[in-house]
Amino acid sequence: AEKEFATALTLSPGNASAKLGMAYSCYQLGKYSQALVIVEDLIKQSKPPARAFIIHARLLLNDGQVERARQEYERAVEIEPNVTDPGLYERLGLADLPYKQKAPAESRVTTDGKIRELADDDSEDTLNLDVEKSDISFVNVGGMEEVKEHIRMKIIYPLENQEMFKQYGKKIGGGILMYGPPGCGKTFLARATAGEIKANFISVGITDVLDMWCGESERHMHDVFETARRNRPCVLFFDEVDALAASRSDMRKSGGRNTINQFLTEMDGAESSNEGVLILAATNAPWHLDSAFRRPGRFDRIIFVPPPDTKARADILRLTLKGKPVEDIDLELIAKKTEKFSGADLFAVVDQAVESKLAQAMKEGIPKPITTKDLEASARNVKASTAEWFATARNYALYSNQGGAYDDIVKYLKL
């Protein structure tokens, strides 16, 4: 964000919104001196933005100047009564200041192309999450039988045999964390899970949750889970979950830790039941995930999703080539020659073969089918993308595997 605001300021040096964003980014990064220089310039303007005084108050509070921080907070509220900061409000002990008020149009800001209100805690869910109905199922997923069986045991069988599972006290739902090299089908599998049980599907990315204003990220996280609960049975999928659930010990600022704490609270279902909500998450870097997420009741099933084996590679190639003009392709041969290829790598093999055939058809004016030789030639030009990931994973499996979290990697690599 800091780099983007810096770019914006080179294009528009006097842009107050970009300066404000730059100041907040510097503050979040712990660059207090830079943040202070920008904020002091903003509050000297004839019409200073109220949010600048909020950031200034935070900087002053960090410096131990509590009384001046209170004065700056009060100036912000005088300029714009609706620009409040709940966290700072509590720390300053300003119990008599107004807190929940409806924000008028002029207090709205544009971030990430979306217009939203700065401080409207009474508003309805502000997230525009897409609640989908998946049109794919496990039939469309090549290989990954062990992973599929874990998911069946966690959500599909409980839905199909509710009475039996209730007798054993097993609830419908829970969390499954999938990890492995990029491009091996974790996201595709999550979507197929929703299609398999004809459940609603909600995909959540980092931009859906994280917000630059204090307290907003936690509210967004709560809204995500509430949306899933309203649409149960529902598969709630967090892609690149390590960005939202990174280890709290690695964080210098409390904002990220608060978001993680909110995530943990929602997963525990302390205030609202998560029954009927299957929480799936995918990550390429499980070693960056906070250990608290691996406790029972949260992501209690952690599944390694390796590159597809020979049979799975043949299945993926067959599914990818479906509907395309082909001629007696030896899928088993191509599968053997693409060892350690991810699903994405195999898509690239087929894609390059298709492009080659299209180029030939453009010259000759006659479309010809894809052959085994075409795929062999294409496979020679595509390098397995999983090698770099396994180089990193190998180090964690050897030197940071005290709790056995990476035993599956040890087994896969035969260490």
Side-chain angles (χ1 to χ4, degrees), residues 300-312:
D300 45 13
R301 294 285 179 91
I302 301 175
I303 303 171
F304 175 51
V305 182
D309 58 19
T310 306
K311 181 181 180 303

Side-chain angles (χ1 to χ4, degrees), residues 78-372:
E78 278 179 19
I79 295 170
E80 178 51 76
N82 307 290
V83 180
T84 57
D85 186 320
L88 184 59
Y89 173 85
E90 292 294 331
R91 289 174 65 192
L92 291 173
L94 296 169
D96 295 328
L97 283 178
Y99 173 54
K100 294 183 178 180
Q101 300 181 42
K102 190 68 178 176
E106 53 267 31
S107 71
R108 294 171 184 160
V109 294
T110 302
T111 55
D112 296 332
K114 298 176 184 177
I115 298 176
R116 64 176 182 79
E117 294 174 354
L118 288 175
D120 180 10
D121 288 73
D122 288 335
S123 63
E124 294 295 321
D125 182 358
T126 57
L127 294 181
N128 293 316
L129 293 172
D130 292 326
V131 181
E132 309 171 29
K133 283 289 187 182
S134 178
D135 56 356
I136 60 173
S137 64
F138 285 172
V139 175
N140 306 101
V141 180
M144 305 174 78
E145 295 305 324
E146 186 177 348
V147 180
K148 290 177 190 174
E149 188 57 31
H150 277 299
I151 294 174
R152 286 190 184 101
M153 196 67 196
K154 193 74 177 177
I155 187 75
I156 297 173
Y157 296 152
L159 280 172
E160 292 175 348
N161 306 276
Q162 295 187 29
E163 291 302 319
M164 185 184 296
F165 274 74
K166 282 180 181 177
Q167 288 179 14
Y168 284 94
K170 288 287 288 180
K171 293 183 178 180
I172 302 170
I176 295 175
L177 174 67
M178 299 179 288
Y179 76 95
C184 289
K186 296 183 288 292
T187 303
F188 191 74
L189 183 61
R191 198 175 293 275
T193 300
E196 187 76 9
I197 58 175
K198 296 179 173 55
N200 293 306
F201 180 78
I202 300 175
S203 180
V204 183
I206 185 172
T207 56
D208 294 315
V209 176
L210 296 190
D211 195 287
M212 67 185 292
W213 306 122
C214 294
E216 288 294 287
S217 298
E218 296 93 305
R219 187 162 72 93
H220 289 171
M221 183 67 75
H222 176 70
D223 289 343
V224 164
F225 276 85
E226 282 299 301
T227 302
R229 290 166 188 142
R230 287 195 301 268
N231 291 279
R232 62 182 108 194
C234 182
V235 174
L236 181 58
F237 176 62
F238 291 91
D239 200 4
E240 302 297 342
V241 72
D242 50 289
L244 290 169
S247 177
R248 286 168 289 185
S249 61
D250 296 337
M251 295 183 179
R252 292 179 299 167
K253 294 292 157 198
S254 62
R257 290 196 291 268
N258 291 341
T259 305
I260 293 169
N261 290 336
Q262 184 69 37
F263 199 164
L264 291 168
T265 300
E266 298 295 340
M267 287 199 73
D268 288 338
E271 297 180 3
S272 302
S273 172
N274 288 331
E275 187 165 3
V277 177
L278 175 66
I279 304 163
L280 290 179
T283 178
N284 301 329
W287 33 85
H288 292 155
L289 196 70
D290 195 290
S291 59
F293 281 91
R294 299 175 186 172
R295 292 175 190 164
R298 293 167 183 169
F299 290 125
D300 45 13
R301 294 285 179 91
I302 301 175
I303 303 171
F304 175 51
V305 182
D309 58 19
T310 306
K311 181 181 180 303
R313 290 197 296 274
D315 289 342
I316 291 169
L317 287 167
R318 185 178 295 106
L319 289 167
T320 308
L321 289 165
K322 189 176 180 180
K324 296 178 176 64
V326 296
E327 182 182 89
D328 298 328
I329 292 181
D330 188 345
L331 294 175
E332 283 67 29
L333 175 65
I334 304 301
K336 288 176 183 177
K337 292 192 174 187
T338 51
E339 188 178 357
K340 295 183 180 178
F341 275 42
S342 68
D345 295 334
L346 295 171
F347 294 146
V349 168
V350 174
D351 194 51
Q352 285 197 19
V354 169
E355 286 184 2
S356 176
K357 279 298 179 184
L358 283 171
Q360 185 180 347
M362 291 297 103
K363 290 178 181 178
E364 300 176 3
I366 303 171
K368 293 184 178 179
I370 300 167
T371 65
T372 302

Side-chain angles (χ1 to χ4, degrees), residues 179 304 397 401-414:
Y179 76 95
F304 175 51
N401 192 31
Q402 292 84 354
Y406 310 122
D407 284 351
D408 287 331
I409 297 175
V410 172
K411 183 180 177 182
Y412 183 83
L413 294 176
K414 299 177 182 177

Side-chain angles (χ1 to χ4, degrees), residues 71-82:
Q71 291 171 2
E72 293 298 86
Y73 188 95
E74 288 170 347
R75 287 183 68 184
V77 175
E78 278 179 19
I79 295 170
E80 178 51 76
N82 307 290

